[in-house]
Amino acid sequence: MIARPHDRPPRPTLALLPGEERPSLIDPAKLDDWTGGWVARLAAPSAERMGAGPEQILWDVSAGSQARTAPNPKGGWTAVQRGPVRLWDRVEHAVQLWQAADEPHQERFGITVSAAGQRVWLGTEDGPGWNLPI
């Protein structure tokens, strides 16, 4: 039996708004890799991801933050972000950590759960990691 037999609450329509523009430090298509997308979700757990390949969109409705990427005609990719949570900065940093470790599969990750919170880590418990919201 379904606990709540109703649709999810309505959300606003996504309007891509202007923001700070800069070159992306990573290939946005890395988020299409299953583990790459999972790492991005660790970095921005409340963001919804849309798009594919070089054209990614991240949207955090609760914070009002957005990030999007697109191919740059001069080469590489452009990232545009706005709002209090710098979504693409977080995703870039997480993906760069994953790439520096030779893009391991999820089996190389671990999780520590304590009364203080939850932390997903790469390699060893004191290695690079992400604190998850409680």
Side-chain angles (χ1 to χ4, degrees), residues 63-111:
S65 296
Q66 295 180 356
R68 66 182 180 277
T69 60
N72 185 324
K74 297 178 183 176
W77 310 272
T78 298
V80 177
Q81 56 185 343
R82 65 175 286 122
V85 180
R86 310 316 278 172
L87 296 170
W88 197 250
D89 290 352
R90 290 181 178 196
V91 166
E92 274 182 336
H93 180 71
V95 170
Q96 286 175 321
L97 287 173
W98 174 63
Q99 289 176 316
D102 295 325
E103 300 182 11
H105 188 268
Q106 282 181 302
E107 63 198 23
R108 291 258 326 268
F109 290 79
I111 187 167

Side-chain angles (χ1 to χ4, degrees), residues 6-116:
H6 56 78
D7 293 334
R8 100 183 200 192
R11 62 179 175 175
T13 302
L14 174 62
L16 296 175
L17 302 171
E20 294 177 17
E21 188 174 316
R22 64 169 180 80
S24 177
L25 303 176
I26 63 167
D27 177 351
K30 283 293 182 183
L31 276 61
D32 293 340
D33 175 273
W34 202 94
T35 305
W38 184 73
V39 167
R41 169 101 32 227
L42 291 173
S46 60
E48 190 172 333
R49 180 178 156 242
M50 298 165 266
E55 297 179 355
Q56 301 283 337
I57 298 170
L58 300 173
W59 185 27
D60 185 336
V61 177
S62 63
S65 296
Q66 295 180 356
R68 66 182 180 277
T69 60
N72 185 324
K74 297 178 183 176
W77 310 272
T78 298
V80 177
Q81 56 185 343
R82 65 175 286 122
V85 180
R86 310 316 278 172
L87 296 170
W88 197 250
D89 290 352
R90 290 181 178 196
V91 166
E92 274 182 336
H93 180 71
V95 170
Q96 286 175 321
L97 287 173
W98 174 63
Q99 289 176 316
D102 295 325
E103 300 182 11
H105 188 268
Q106 282 181 302
E107 63 198 23
R108 291 258 326 268
F109 290 79
I111 187 167
T112 301
V113 179
S114 69

